[in-house]
Amino acid sequence: MINDANNIVLAVMGAVGNGKSSTLNSIIQEPLFQSGRAVGPVTQQIGSCVRHWKLPEVGRTVHIVDTPGMCDSTYKDVENVHLMVEFFKTLSHGVSAFVLVFNIHNTRLDEYTKNMLRLFERLLGPQFWKHVVIVFTHVDEEQRDYLEENIDALTDPIDGFVKVINQWFQLQYQPPIVFLSNRDTRYSQYARDCFMELYEAVVSVEEGTRREKFTCTFFQEVNNRAGIVQDNFIVHSIRSAAAAIPQIVQSGARSVSNVCSVM
């Protein structure tokens, strides 16, 4: 069942072209989610399904969620987040892990990336971070040696990627970080080992939250409304969160209204 409490509920988010859909297709070993190297975002609406987690074979069912690619030129990010809210409110058992996907070849933490994460935090609340796994894609086997310097820089305990995110958002814990290759996942042992690391990271997030999935009182408030009133409430919430982002980025303040909680 789609809302089976024992399912892993995996939501994948990130910027356009980072490999979100390819990662989901690899997990279920099925070309269900459209992926490609188009100039614009491939995922233009939310898609989901329930399948067995097949890479690796772990004997568990996963409710996988593919969200629209976040882009600051072709599509309005607020509209994409609106779609995400519309989808997540239907998940009565919450979300096991939010996978934030980045491309290993473009790891610059620019203001756009920072704003995107701020928007997630404002909409979902600080507890969102306890369910985050950070993934870098395109770490293919034949390029692994070439990318070692990038990997070392990203994992540096003083000024690495995750350390900087911790400082930005004043986190008291460090999200797990995984390096993935979506190339030849059916036959490559290297790729299979990468996805085992992803599964283990998701399990570590589950264990860290005592298997309590992420849910929001905000979503419950949404469900208490209907029709135009419900739509207006959602849009107003997203606009309010987005409008506050420039002030947060400039001041560095943490005036985040926590509208979410752990179930």
Side-chain angles (χ1 to χ4, degrees), residues 19-188:
K20 304 186 314 302
S21 299
S22 296
T23 297
L24 293 179
N25 288 337
S26 294
I27 289 172
I28 63 174
Q29 290 293 283
E30 184 178 338
L32 184 64
F33 297 94
Q34 183 182 0
S35 62
R37 298 179 179 274
V39 174
V42 173
T43 305
Q44 298 180 8
Q45 60 183 0
I46 292 172
S48 72
C49 73
V50 177
R51 295 287 192 277
H52 292 295
W53 188 308
K54 292 186 178 179
L55 186 66
E57 292 277 2
V58 294
R60 296 186 67 183
T61 300
V62 58
H63 179 188
I64 56 179
V65 183
D66 190 17
T67 55
M70 303 288 284
C71 179
D72 58 353
S73 59
T74 307
Y75 284 79
K76 294 181 179 179
D77 284 349
V78 171
E79 293 177 359
N80 291 332
V81 175
H82 186 184
L83 289 174
M84 283 191 286
V85 171
E86 286 281 7
F87 182 82
F88 287 136
K89 73 180 183 181
T90 69
L91 299 180
S92 62
H93 295 286
V95 179
S96 304
F98 297 91
V99 178
L100 301 183
V101 181
F102 298 90
N103 188 326
I104 189 69
H105 298 292
N106 183 20
T107 59
R108 185 169 61 94
L109 285 169
D110 54 16
E111 287 302 313
Y112 168 68
T113 300
K114 187 173 182 178
N115 286 347
M116 180 184 72
L117 295 176
R118 288 289 188 193
L119 186 58
F120 288 159
E121 186 185 60
R122 284 198 66 84
L123 284 170
L124 304 177
Q127 295 296 323
F128 146 79
W129 287 103
K130 291 186 178 181
H131 295 260
V132 164
V133 175
I134 296 176
V135 166
F136 289 95
T137 61
H138 302 285
V139 187
D140 300 324
E141 185 173 14
E142 64 272 19
Q143 292 187 313
R144 182 76 188 214
D145 292 340
Y146 168 76
L147 293 171
E148 280 301 327
E149 288 188 9
N150 294 44
I151 293 173
D152 289 342
L154 291 168
T155 56
D156 189 284
I158 298 176
D159 58 2
F161 188 95
V162 176
K163 182 63 176 180
V164 171
I165 288 180
N166 284 359
Q167 293 172 346
W168 275 354
F169 295 94
Q170 301 178 17
L171 305 183
Q172 301 302 312
Y173 37 82
Q174 178 168 309
I177 183 169
V178 179
F179 298 93
L180 285 185
S181 172
N182 283 302
R183 181 171 296 181
D184 194 24
T185 57
R186 188 175 297 274
Y187 301 105
S188 169

Side-chain angles (χ1 to χ4, degrees), residues 231-246:
D231 292 346
N232 288 342
F233 176 78
I234 294 170
V235 171
H236 173 75
S237 299
I238 294 171
R239 286 177 176 171
S240 297
I245 289 175

